[in-house]
Amino acid sequence: MATERTLSIIKPDATERNITGKIIAMLEEGGLRVVAQKRVRWSREQAEKFYEVHKDRPFYNDLVTFMTSGPIVLQVLEGEDAVARNREIMGATNPAEAGPGTIRAEFGENIERNSVHGSDSPENAQKEIALCFDESEIVG
């Protein structure tokens, strides 16, 4: 197993309900360490750039609108196999399919408002982290 980093986003539906602390606790209890964190509100341009991989998908505009609807918490998480571990802790994208004890099963409202995002590969984690953080913001 290798120590790696991944990006985590606590989405507007979770910040609106004031459950960021509960989500962070689940990530830390799951063996991940927060090495960078900031609460921001994305502009449309920032959200479009982050999600440009989905630009041709039918949900793209709704996703960008949702991700700019309120504050989000951006985090760099570090740990053994952090990408896979974070995805385990988050659970399936659709909260109805997420396993018990996962973030999305506990806090997700539906597939669109599922409370969190996590990188899906080490390569994407590097790209996403670089989009959201300057290296000087990461303390680890």
Side-chain angles (χ1 to χ4, degrees), residues 92-110:
T93 302
N94 184 347
E97 298 169 4
T102 63
I103 292 170
R104 289 176 172 151
E106 295 290 319
F107 304 116
E109 297 175 323
N110 56 49

Side-chain angles (χ1 to χ4, degrees), residues 44 51 53-66 111-112:
R44 184 157 189 90
Y51 287 109
V53 66
H54 299 302
K55 192 171 191 165
D56 296 327
R57 311 273 309 260
F59 59 82
Y60 174 76
N61 283 324
D62 288 343
L63 177 59
V64 168
T65 298
F66 170 61
I111 197 165
E112 289 88 19

Side-chain angles (χ1 to χ4, degrees), residues 78-117:
E78 186 176 79
E80 293 294 319
D81 294 317
V83 172
R85 186 71 194 122
N86 185 39
R87 295 188 73 73
E88 274 179 43
I89 296 166
M90 288 189 311
T93 302
N94 184 347
E97 298 169 4
T102 63
I103 292 170
R104 289 176 172 151
E106 295 290 319
F107 304 116
E109 297 175 323
N110 56 49
I111 197 165
E112 289 88 19
R113 296 173 60 88
N114 61 18
S115 300
V116 288
H117 162 89

Side-chain angles (χ1 to χ4, degrees), residues 1 18 35 38 50 57 65 76 78 88 96 113 118 120 133 136:
M1 291 190 187
N18 203 29
V35 295
K38 58 186 172 183
F50 188 86
R57 311 273 309 260
T65 298
V76 178
E78 186 176 79
E88 274 179 43
R113 296 173 60 88
D120 62 4
F133 289 90
S136 65

Side-chain angles (χ1 to χ4, degrees), residues 2 5-6 17 22 26 30 46-47 49 60-61 67 71-72 79 90 96 100 108 112 115 121 134 137-138:
R5 290 179 173 168
T6 190
R17 291 180 286 144
K22 292 176 182 178
M26 290 178 76
Q46 288 170 306
K49 183 171 182 158
Y60 174 76
N61 283 324
M67 291 301 291
I72 59 175
M90 288 189 311
E112 289 88 19
S115 300
S121 70
D134 292 327
E137 296 176 289
I138 302 171

Side-chain angles (χ1 to χ4, degrees), residues 121-134:
S121 70
E123 298 76 24
N124 281 341
Q126 287 181 337
K127 291 175 192 172
E128 291 178 350
I129 290 168
L131 277 172
C132 298
F133 289 90
D134 292 327

